[in-house]
Amino acid sequence: MRQAQLRLAELIACLSIATDLGTGHPMERALRACLFALELGRLHTCTEAVLAETYYVTLLRFAGCAADAHHRASLFGDEIALGPEIDAVELWKLEPMLAFLHKHGFNRLPADELQVLLNTGVQRSVEAASANCEIAQLIAARLGLSAGVIQALGDVFERWDGGGVPGRASGEQISLSARMAVVALDVELYYRLGGIGAVQNLVRARSGGQYDPTLAQIILAHPTLCDCLMDTHPWDTVLAQEPGTAPILMGSQLDEAMRVFADFTDLRIPWMIGHSAALARLCEAAGQQLRLPESELTMLRWAAYVHDIGMTASSVSIWDKPGVLSAGEWERVRLHTYFTERILARSALLHPIGQLAALHHERLDGSGYHRQMQAPLLPVAAQILMAAEVYRSMLEERPYRAALPPQTAVDQLWTLVRAGQLESIVADAVLNAAGHAGLSTKQVRPAGLSAREVEVLRLVAQGNTNRQIADTLVVAPAT
């Protein structure tokens, strides 16, 4: 079998879509900003190496957004709904920050409480910004990006005038790729909100303060630069314009890249830390017991790594709520599987992984979400993911309950089996993989067939063609 390969740019572009959703912006916002940054860099006669750095820095600018999601949610409730408005405020300038707080009612607080909020809030914002940089840098390092990209991701909260965070650089000490990425993302936002006039006012106001004045002059002198922000297929254009050698991920590099998705997702919500990686190990072990072929085990492991990335599209305030969710909040929860699939949909390699990952809350009787698919349409890999996610989640603390004892998790899993929501053979494999004995009366399949082979025979008996069976099982027809 040909070894799976993936362009690094594709994976980072998918990650950028997740950060768009996690910061309240439209999908492909970072892709459009990347196109602007490249055009700006060309007018600035940047080298190919600097353009390549700028490319990745722009796409990964908010990869550390997990670090300040809780801080924003604690201040404003739904940090995603206010995301674009927060991002429009000039960084580390007291007057714009106060105006934003007053607009959202903080001026109605008693004077002493407002002062405490300002004192503590600024410090927490500085800490969150530093953590944001550190997480983005860690992600870049794990993806094998250059030292220049890693350094630049540490500079994205600095200001040209030296008043930024962490305050170690000013002027040309700030990486050029960071200077271009920051202004490009701001320009994309202001162009979306108010057109070219808003962009020109923004750049004039922040030139020499937050922004490099040379870059500001280029933008003001070339208003048609913003034309690229109207690109209707930025995914294709960004991939086509990648500077340099277009790195390829394969083997252990690709597996590590999938783990980056897992850790990116889990870091955003403290009680999720380690969940996706643990789920991947459990799924793989259960799949081995059910004799899934190696290629399907790999896909299952990767699907477990990425299964919850769609959670970035909903506010931390929903996931952290200790009480009963409202109908609207529950709809946001149900949509996270949809967003998992859509975040990965543009990549030919990642698309089927996203499709499988999006099934982790389905149930055999059609009572799951978001597609409400029933047993005949749920391949064994999806059923393993479903059962393993239920079991693993019950062992972990949640805002609305404590972690359950292992035996309670076992009992509840079999309750779902008896209710017709999970397959007993699959549940048995998951529990055996987790170190439990499973059912005392294990189902025996005829002729020693594996669960996968039984599934194929069932689809054949239903009159499906090879192509239809392959599509259902997410495999090649030859397999």
Side-chain angles (χ1 to χ4, degrees), residues 375-441:
L377 297 177
L378 293 168
V380 169
Q383 295 184 37
I384 293 171
L385 186 59
M386 289 154 45
E389 204 278 337
V390 168
Y391 172 79
R392 184 65 221 176
S393 295
M394 285 191 287
L395 299 181
E396 299 165 352
E397 183 180 357
R398 294 292 184 260
Y400 50 87
R401 62 157 173 80
L404 300 179
Q407 188 54 51
T408 303
V410 171
D411 294 340
Q412 292 201 16
L413 194 66
W414 290 122
T415 297
L416 296 178
V417 170
R418 287 189 291 271
Q421 295 186 9
L422 298 175
E423 167 62 58
S424 61
I425 298 169
V426 173
D428 195 49
V430 166
L431 292 177
N432 274 303
H436 300 287
L439 277 176
S440 57
T441 55

Side-chain angles (χ1 to χ4, degrees), residues 33-101:
C34 182
L35 294 176
F36 183 92
L38 290 176
E39 291 294 330
L40 178 60
R42 293 183 186 111
L43 287 172
H44 196 41
T45 63
C46 292
T47 65
E48 189 83 352
V50 171
L51 288 175
E53 285 181 11
T54 304
Y55 183 89
Y56 296 120
V57 172
T58 308
L59 294 177
L60 289 173
R61 162 67 177 82
F62 288 103
C65 62
D68 62 359
H70 265 272
H71 174 50
R72 290 188 179 199
S74 66
L75 287 174
F76 307 114
D78 189 337
E79 81 287 359
I80 290 180
L82 283 179
E85 195 174 346
I86 295 172
D87 291 342
V89 177
E90 185 173 0
L91 287 173
W92 318 120
K93 291 287 283 186
L94 183 60
E95 294 81 5
M97 292 170 65
L98 282 174
F100 176 81
L101 291 174

Side-chain angles (χ1 to χ4, degrees), residues 6-233:
L6 178 69
R7 278 180 64 183
L8 176 61
E10 282 187 60
L11 184 135
I12 291 177
C14 287
L15 193 59
S16 78
I17 291 174
T19 64
D20 292 340
L21 292 170
T23 52
H25 294 281
M27 295 171 74
E28 300 184 327
R29 178 267 179 121
L31 295 176
R32 287 187 290 271
C34 182
L35 294 176
F36 183 92
L38 290 176
E39 291 294 330
L40 178 60
R42 293 183 186 111
L43 287 172
H44 196 41
T45 63
C46 292
T47 65
E48 189 83 352
V50 171
L51 288 175
E53 285 181 11
T54 304
Y55 183 89
Y56 296 120
V57 172
T58 308
L59 294 177
L60 289 173
R61 162 67 177 82
F62 288 103
C65 62
D68 62 359
H70 265 272
H71 174 50
R72 290 188 179 199
S74 66
L75 287 174
F76 307 114
D78 189 337
E79 81 287 359
I80 290 180
L82 283 179
E85 195 174 346
I86 295 172
D87 291 342
V89 177
E90 185 173 0
L91 287 173
W92 318 120
K93 291 287 283 186
L94 183 60
E95 294 81 5
M97 292 170 65
L98 282 174
F100 176 81
L101 291 174
H102 289 171
K103 178 180 177 182
H104 290 280
F106 286 84
N107 59 321
R108 292 193 292 271
L109 292 173
D112 55 340
E113 288 186 31
L114 179 59
Q115 191 58 49
V116 170
L117 173 66
L118 291 175
N119 292 340
T120 59
V122 170
Q123 181 57 35
R124 287 185 62 193
S125 295
V126 169
E127 293 168 355
S130 297
N132 193 311
C133 292
E134 290 171 8
I135 292 173
Q137 289 176 307
L138 179 60
I139 288 173
R142 289 177 61 183
L143 293 175
L145 290 167
S146 70
V149 171
I150 295 169
Q151 178 185 339
L153 287 169
D155 287 347
V156 293
F157 287 100
E158 298 286 12
R159 290 173 55 96
W160 179 265
D161 61 10
V165 170
R168 292 191 293 260
S170 63
E172 293 188 356
Q173 296 172 327
I174 303 169
S175 297
L176 177 56
S177 53
R179 285 179 261 154
M180 291 195 291
V182 167
V183 73
L185 285 156
D186 286 349
V187 165
E188 189 283 333
L189 171 59
Y190 272 77
Y191 187 75
R192 180 165 23 103
L193 296 176
I196 191 64
V199 168
Q200 291 176 332
N201 290 337
L202 164 77
V203 173
R204 288 193 190 99
R206 299 190 188 180
S207 177
Q210 184 178 356
Y211 301 153
D212 178 341
T214 300
L215 297 179
Q217 286 304 310
I218 292 173
I219 294 169
L220 292 172
H222 297 85
T224 56
L225 258 177
C226 291
D227 290 352
C228 64
L229 298 175
M230 300 298 291
D231 194 313
T232 55
H233 295 88

Side-chain angles (χ1 to χ4, degrees), residues 269 271-272 316-323 396-402:
I269 304 172
W271 48 261
M272 282 282 293
V316 167
S317 62
I318 293 177
W319 301 113
D320 271 356
K321 187 173 181 178
E396 299 165 352
E397 183 180 357
R398 294 292 184 260
Y400 50 87
R401 62 157 173 80

